[in-house]
Amino acid sequence: MSVPEVNLLFHEPIADHSFSADRNLLAVARDSRVQLYARSGNGFALQDELAGHDKTVTSVDIAPQSGKIVTCSQDRNALVWEPSPTGWKPTLVLLRINRAATHVRWSPDETKFAVGSGARVIAVCYFEEENDWWVSKHLKKPLRTTVLSLNWHPNSVLLAAGSADAHARVFSAFIKGVDQRPEPTVWGERLPFNTVCGEFSNSSGGWVHSVAFSPSGNALAYAAHDSSITVVYPSAPEQPPLSVVSITTQMLPFTSLIWAREDQIIAAGHDCHPVVFQGDMNGGWTQAYSIDDPAQRQDSGEGAESSALNMFRQMDLKGRTTSVDDTNLKTIHQNTISTIRPYQGEPGNVSKFSSTGVDGRIVIFPVA
Amino acid sequence: MASESRLYQISTDTRARLRKFRLNTSRAQSAQALILSIDKKSFEIQPSTGDVLATLEDIADALPEHAPRFVLLSYPLTLGDGRLSVPYVMLNWMPATVGSELRMLYAGAKELVRNTAEVGKVLDVAEEEDVLAVQEVLAGDS
């Protein structure tokens, strides 16, 4: 059981973060810039800054193979940054949206990326060779609210989206000429662009903050604002799903979730520490344990301070008689965790994951 | 107009083909269309397909999704009062995803092509639905 690696980057919220494939480069969204940090020893050193957006950057993603960085922002634009000997060169992508972009992710094969927006549209963008230009196609029906999060299926054609109308949907983002015809999956066979392969809702009407396909792609999990995690196992296209398992918790809502294994989900959110859920289709899902559990954090450090001297010092300085420190949270993160992403391990067996939050820290947690 | 004819080239073969297309299609039974594109390097305006397109659906399929084209269309219609009319129009296909360089290239050539082909009207189409709706537009205007 290894110790989590904590780094306080700065005292500002981090909207999103992304590591390069070799984990030596970290891209972090900081207000309207994206800062690139390089690994140095146990910490990170600021290497470069990408300043192309006018408003807050809402999402960053680094493509593992090609190394390109895509960023999207509230200024309704997305930029693709390519590494060059003289620094990073941005290319503007015309998304044709009239509201902020909220989330961006590269597809697993890195030929396209999807941008969720407040314009009730998901822009699926790909590079057109003959015009040397990034082009976007819109997924419109049946979205009627802001898209809060996106996740690609391993086949790079299916896209899951969580929106503010309490629905998680699976779309087909098949682009003729860019994608190969995918193998049939439980989600569907012939999938023209903008087919809705599945639509699932949250019964309490809570916004769906995060969606994720399982490593095999045969199940979908989503976290909603009523503090629940729902796992859907579809059976066949146009058929009701095999099972829909919902786990409600007594915790604060989760904002981000990932699959560590086919039978293990990690979620984190407003409680500032990650929680692990385990289960499967037949046995159901349960909340297994918390990582960085605040209840288990013994204040062994603070206990030693409860001497008489300290008591009088606290009375003098802060006017209180106890020496309990109530200005810091007991968890490592001091504020909401906004994003967690796999850090180490293959897609079906994640051993470590990284998390960033509103407190400006980046923490790498081990799963066990 | 003069400056465009110095920049864009239309070969005599193309001119002859356009003339033949205009004259031969006025008595045709079915719709006929010819798609023109501009070569980015030589600025030559040339046909990009043979004129075998007979329906609006075929035209919509043949048009590239992210590049502009000019379509010369001869479309026989029967008007509301029974008359047969075969309007000869140009469709200016300009999807929303086209970049500004190509937009300027085709916008500059639009008047030149219109005058060389001697069409009656120019319709701006940006999406597949606009192409399919051309029939209503032509019937409504005549």
Side-chain angles (χ1 to χ4, degrees):
Chain A
M1 162 86 123
S2 44
V3 180
E5 199 190 306
V6 186
N7 274 297
L8 173 64
L9 295 177
F10 39 78
H11 289 281
E12 271 172 53
I14 298 176
D16 201 2
H17 74 279
S18 182
F19 277 98
S20 62
D22 57 5
R23 306 303 186 230
N24 281 338
L25 184 67
L26 167 65
V28 155
R30 179 178 184 172
D31 195 34
S32 61
R33 294 130 31 221
V34 171
Q35 290 191 327
L36 296 177
Y37 287 83
R39 260 287 179 200
S40 77
N42 270 342
F44 295 97
L46 181 61
Q47 191 189 62
D48 213 337
E49 196 170 84
L50 309 177
H53 287 290
D54 302 322
K55 295 219 183 86
T56 316
V57 173
T58 47
S59 189
V60 181
D61 199 24
I62 304 186
Q65 310 287 345
S66 59
K68 289 196 244 212
I69 303 181
V70 64
T71 60
C72 76
S73 138
Q74 288 176 1
D75 65 1
R76 315 188 296 272
N77 286 334
L79 290 168
V80 175
W81 300 82
E82 267 149 54
S84 80
T86 49
W88 293 85
K89 295 274 174 288
T91 309
L92 179 69
V93 179
L94 266 194
L95 299 173
R96 297 175 291 126
I97 55 179
N98 55 4
R99 293 290 186 277
T102 54
H103 206 245
V104 67
R105 287 290 180 257
W106 285 103
S107 67
D109 64 4
E110 294 170 30
T111 52
K112 345 180 258 215
F113 59 88
V115 184
S117 70
R120 301 136 48 128
V121 136
I122 300 173
V124 179
C125 307
Y126 57 99
F127 193 68
E128 269 244 315
E129 282 300 340
E130 56 173 283
N131 296 328
D132 198 28
W133 177 249
W134 286 91
V135 160
S136 66
K137 281 189 82 153
H138 284 178
L139 287 167
K140 275 206 247 237
K141 297 194 231 301
L143 294 166
R144 312 243 18 114
T145 57
T146 304
V147 173
L148 296 168
S149 75
L150 297 168
N151 189 252
W152 287 94
H153 187 279
N155 70 6
S156 287
V157 168
L158 295 168
L159 180 66
S163 14
D165 59 355
H167 278 78
R169 297 182 177 89
V170 177
F171 292 96
S172 156
F174 176 76
I175 310 262
K176 208 165 54 161
V178 174
D179 292 319
Q180 313 295 338
R181 201 138 283 269
E183 303 288 319
T185 60
V186 288
W187 298 100
E189 241 185 76
R190 250 207 85 241
L191 303 169
F193 188 79
N194 210 346
T195 317
V196 180
C197 305
E199 197 165 342
F200 314 102
S201 71
N202 174 246
S203 46
S204 322
W207 288 8
V208 175
H209 289 296
S210 185
V211 285
F213 278 107
S214 68
S216 66
N218 293 330
L220 179 75
Y222 56 93
H225 201 72
D226 65 346
S227 311
S228 70
I229 305 265
T230 311
V231 187
V232 178
Y233 292 91
S235 56
E238 309 293 327
Q239 304 293 326
L242 282 174
S243 80
V244 176
V245 185
S246 208
I247 317 143
T248 39
T249 66
Q250 295 305 310
M251 303 172 66
L252 292 177
F254 299 108
T255 57
S256 183
L257 67 80
I258 58 171
W259 289 76
R261 300 195 308 252
E262 197 72 26
D263 62 351
Q264 200 176 55
I265 291 178
I266 307 178
H270 294 286
D271 266 319
C272 315
H273 67 270
V275 177
V276 178
F277 295 83
Q278 269 168 349
D280 58 33
M281 179 165 68
N282 305 313
W285 284 80
T286 52
Q287 186 179 346
Y289 59 92
S290 295
I291 300 176
D292 185 28
D293 198 343
Q296 277 173 19
R297 264 276 266 246
Q298 294 308 327
D299 344 21
S300 49
E302 287 87 312
E305 292 281 356
S306 57
S307 60
L309 173 62
N310 197 52
M311 190 186 84
F312 286 112
R313 187 192 293 141
Q314 289 293 321
M315 269 206 295
D316 180 37
L317 270 173
K318 295 183 187 172
R320 66 158 139 237
T321 43
T322 58
S323 62
V324 170
D325 177 16
D326 61 0
T327 53
N328 290 325
L329 292 181
K330 294 205 173 79
T331 51
I332 298 177
H333 275 287
Q334 295 298 304
N335 210 321
T336 304
I337 297 177
S338 41
T339 313
I340 56 174
R341 300 190 81 160
Y343 180 76
Q344 199 180 77
E346 302 107 42
N349 195 356
V350 172
S351 55
K352 284 192 186 174
F353 61 95
S354 56
S355 69
T356 52
V358 177
D359 58 348
R361 280 181 179 77
I362 169 149
V363 184
I364 296 167
F365 287 104
V367 171
Chain B
M1 157 95 184
S3 56
E4 283 116 49
S5 56
R6 269 177 277 154
L7 175 63
Y8 299 100
Q9 320 284 334
I10 309 185
S11 67
T12 36
D13 285 337
T14 315
R15 282 181 200 271
R17 182 139 181 230
L18 291 177
R19 190 173 187 79
K20 205 168 82 151
F21 183 74
R22 181 169 68 88
L23 294 172
N24 291 354
T25 54
S26 56
R27 311 238 184 226
Q29 298 299 318
S30 64
Q32 307 225 336
L34 181 64
I35 302 186
L36 299 172
S37 63
I38 305 182
D39 184 284
K40 270 184 279 202
K41 302 279 176 356
S42 64
F43 297 117
E44 193 186 324
I45 305 177
Q46 57 207 6
S48 75
T49 60
D51 72 65
V52 290
L53 304 168
T55 65
L56 291 173
E57 284 84 20
D58 289 341
I59 298 174
D61 286 334
L63 287 171
E65 261 189 71
H66 306 289
R69 291 286 184 270
F70 297 123
V71 185
L72 299 171
L73 175 66
S74 156
Y75 199 82
L77 323 151
T78 311
L79 300 170
D81 49 7
R83 285 179 293 148
L84 189 69
S85 151
V86 187
Y88 184 49
V89 300
M90 183 170 107
L91 302 180
N92 186 19
W93 166 251
M94 183 69 71
T97 47
V98 173
S100 30
E101 210 182 299
L102 275 177
R103 270 186 204 268
M104 291 308 296
L105 188 67
Y106 278 75
K110 181 172 156 189
E111 287 304 307
L112 178 67
V113 174
R114 180 203 197 136
N115 294 329
T116 312
E118 290 157 342
V119 293
K121 274 172 88 71
V122 177
L123 300 173
D124 291 316
V125 285
E127 286 175 23
E128 212 180 291
E129 289 109 48
D130 295 340
V131 175
L132 299 173
V134 159
Q135 174 163 1
E136 281 98 58
V137 175
L138 291 175
D141 289 334
S142 311

